[in-house]
Amino acid sequence: MIQFKKTILFFITITVICCHDGKINGSFENEEIDNDSISLTNGFIDKEYYGIPMLSSHVKNKFFFFSEYKSYPQMYFLKLKSELDIPFRGGYYFLDKTVENIIVNPDGECSIVDSNIQSEFINQFIPFVFSNYNKYDCINNSFNLFKYKNSTEYENKLFDYIKSNPNSYVGLWFLIESFSAKGYKKKYENILPFFSDKIKSEYLFPILQEKINNVEIKLDSKFPSLDFKNSYFNNGKLIFDSKYKYTLIDFWFSRCKPCLELYPELKRLYNEYHDKGFQVVSISVDKTAEIERWKNTIKSHNLEWDQYLDENGILSKENQIISFPTLCLLNEKGILISKNISLEELEGLLRENL
């Protein structure tokens, strides 16, 4: 049984107070938000998928409003300007041309959006995903927790939902989210034909299809020989030495704090296992204006392995490398055998096989 702590009476009350006038009226529930700014954003998903990448509003006494929504169904994430320490809150905000009101709850998945697509998400998609469980509770972002703790089961549920609902923008958006977060998987490509001709003919689907078709960095495939600049700023293709049983590709940039925090441990693994058959190659996505910082960071952290620059991250973005650090592990044949491997997993593998 699906449990939500909102009531229809409360929702109607807010609607009457706001008096729909062609705008999207919004309010915060159980939060005293005042003199702040709220945005519905694309989050980590490429802006190219969006007709409207961001909606923003000033918040006064818990209330806000957006301009009338005039685009195809889109999935958003919520961000408050004052919350500098988080990129966006939990929960999904699906907007379409039917939307009139939004009620933001501190437990993000308990927020209300009165659009047709949000109704599908809450009343069809969530029950479908949780069909093998006793209940779903919107508190504490339990949908997101399920997704990340049971990723394979979640993706299987998503694919089954798409097959049963080929006209679903909800299914399409969650496929886009999975592809954006994890990069290419053969099963993402295989599910595309199950969408309806209607979905395939509209704006969103062709963008996803093109991105999937153009990805060169693929699990269980040979890592592409891409053109980068090396640390001497010479152009050249990325070349791997087959004498190493494992090569770790480290995507990073010089202002990436989590990237830099990895290096003491990664240097330890490199020093311990390099002579036994382990190699590291770093590829920075630093912007043109940050090139000198990139070079100085290599020196200051004493990074001994090969360094390459994907200037402005163009090739990395084309291959769905959009979060950093991203660690890709190749075998001696240059085949990508793991993407987003943790250093703990890497150390266990090296200890066992080298």
Side-chain angles (χ1 to χ4, degrees):
M1 178 177 180
I2 299 177
Q3 296 180 350
F4 297 96
K5 63 179 186 176
K6 305 296 177 297
T7 65
I8 295 175
L9 178 60
F10 180 81
F11 185 80
I12 292 173
T13 301
I14 291 297
T15 303
V16 172
I17 289 174
C18 294
C19 304
H20 181 61
D21 55 2
K23 301 172 183 175
I24 304 172
N25 298 291
S27 65
F28 285 82
E29 182 184 9
N30 301 328
E31 289 185 277
E32 298 299 325
I33 307 294
D34 187 30
N35 198 28
D36 204 340
S37 294
I38 184 175
S39 297
L40 294 181
T41 80
N42 59 302
F44 65 90
I45 297 175
D46 196 323
K47 289 182 179 180
E48 190 176 347
Y49 290 108
Y50 287 79
I52 306 174
M54 178 182 293
L55 293 89
S56 298
S57 173
H58 184 71
V59 182
K60 185 67 175 176
N61 294 327
K62 301 199 299 184
F63 289 92
F64 58 91
F65 68 87
F66 301 119
S67 300
E68 186 176 4
Y69 190 80
K70 298 178 180 179
S71 190
Y72 54 88
Q74 295 175 193
M75 181 176 77
Y76 291 98
F77 305 88
L78 188 145
K79 169 69 178 172
L80 277 179
K81 185 178 181 180
S82 60
E83 297 177 337
L84 301 176
D85 56 335
I86 57 174
F88 46 82
R89 290 188 174 192
Y92 294 91
Y93 296 77
F94 286 96
L95 271 59
D96 59 26
K97 293 179 182 179
T98 68
V99 63
E100 295 185 4
N101 297 281
I102 297 173
I103 302 174
V104 178
N105 189 276
D107 299 308
E109 291 184 17
C110 294
S111 297
I112 291 178
V113 180
D114 71 334
S115 66
N116 287 345
I117 185 173
Q118 187 83 8
S119 178
E120 180 195 343
F121 169 56
I122 295 298
N123 298 316
Q124 291 180 231
F125 185 74
I126 290 291
F128 190 94
V129 170
F130 281 81
S131 59
N132 295 334
Y133 296 83
N134 291 329
K135 67 177 182 178
Y136 161 77
D137 193 335
C138 63
I139 298 173
N140 298 321
N141 294 318
S142 52
F143 172 59
N144 259 335
L145 288 175
F146 173 79
K147 278 201 314 175
Y148 293 111
K149 289 183 177 180
N150 308 277
S151 59
T152 300
E153 183 178 358
Y154 162 71
E155 287 190 344
N156 290 338
K157 286 280 190 178
L158 172 60
F159 300 153
D160 288 342
Y161 185 83
I162 290 169
K163 292 174 184 177
S164 300
N165 300 272
N167 281 312
S168 173
Y169 267 95
V170 172
L172 180 56
W173 272 110
F174 279 119
L175 180 61
I176 290 170
E177 182 193 42
S178 293
F179 174 65
S180 299
K182 299 179 180 179
Y184 176 91
K185 291 184 180 180
K186 185 64 178 179
K187 58 184 179 181
Y188 296 162
E189 185 175 3
N190 291 342
I191 197 63
L192 292 179
F194 288 92
F195 284 99
S196 68
D197 290 340
K198 178 179 181 299
I199 288 286
K200 291 176 182 177
S201 66
E202 295 176 353
Y203 178 80
L204 194 57
F205 181 91
I207 296 175
L208 174 61
Q209 185 176 45
E210 182 179 12
K211 287 182 178 293
I212 287 178
N213 289 341
N214 289 340
V215 166
E216 294 184 83
I217 299 176
K218 301 179 179 182
L219 277 172
D220 302 319
S221 297
K222 191 174 181 64
F223 199 90
S225 181
L226 301 172
D227 288 311
F228 297 123
K229 293 182 174 70
N230 61 26
S231 55
Y232 301 101
F233 226 66
N234 297 320
N235 292 324
K237 288 187 178 296
L238 199 61
I239 300 175
F240 304 103
D241 195 332
S242 59
K243 76 177 182 181
Y244 295 104
K245 188 168 184 178
Y246 296 106
T247 298
L248 186 74
I249 309 298
D250 160 45
F251 288 91
W252 71 297
F253 61 95
S254 59
R255 290 189 183 272
C256 169
K257 185 177 179 180
C259 303
L260 301 180
E261 289 175 346
L262 283 183
Y263 284 141
E265 184 67 8
L266 184 54
K267 287 168 64 176
R268 181 184 68 80
L269 293 178
Y270 178 80
N271 291 332
E272 184 173 350
Y273 290 101
H274 179 64
D275 292 339
K276 300 176 182 178
F278 174 56
Q279 176 65 307
V280 179
V281 175
S282 285
I283 301 172
S284 168
V285 297
D286 272 294
K287 298 182 183 299
T288 302
E290 300 282 356
I291 288 175
E292 287 305 312
R293 183 184 182 91
W294 166 63
K295 292 181 178 180
N296 290 333
T297 302
I298 294 171
K299 293 179 182 177
S300 64
H301 283 75
N302 194 26
L303 303 181
E304 300 178 11
W305 52 81
D306 290 344
Q307 302 287 333
Y308 290 87
L309 175 67
D310 176 18
E311 192 170 354
N312 301 308
I314 295 173
L315 292 175
S316 299
K317 184 179 179 181
E318 288 176 357
N319 284 282
Q320 291 304 123
I321 307 295
I322 58 174
S323 63
F324 302 92
T326 290
L327 302 179
C328 296
L329 187 65
L330 315 184
N331 63 16
E332 69 273 15
K333 296 180 180 179
I335 304 296
L336 177 60
I337 59 175
S338 181
K339 185 181 178 187
N340 291 317
I341 188 171
S342 69
L343 291 190
E344 292 77 12
E345 293 171 318
L346 175 63
E347 182 169 16
L349 184 145
L350 296 177
R351 185 187 303 117
E352 182 178 346
N353 294 282
L354 296 183

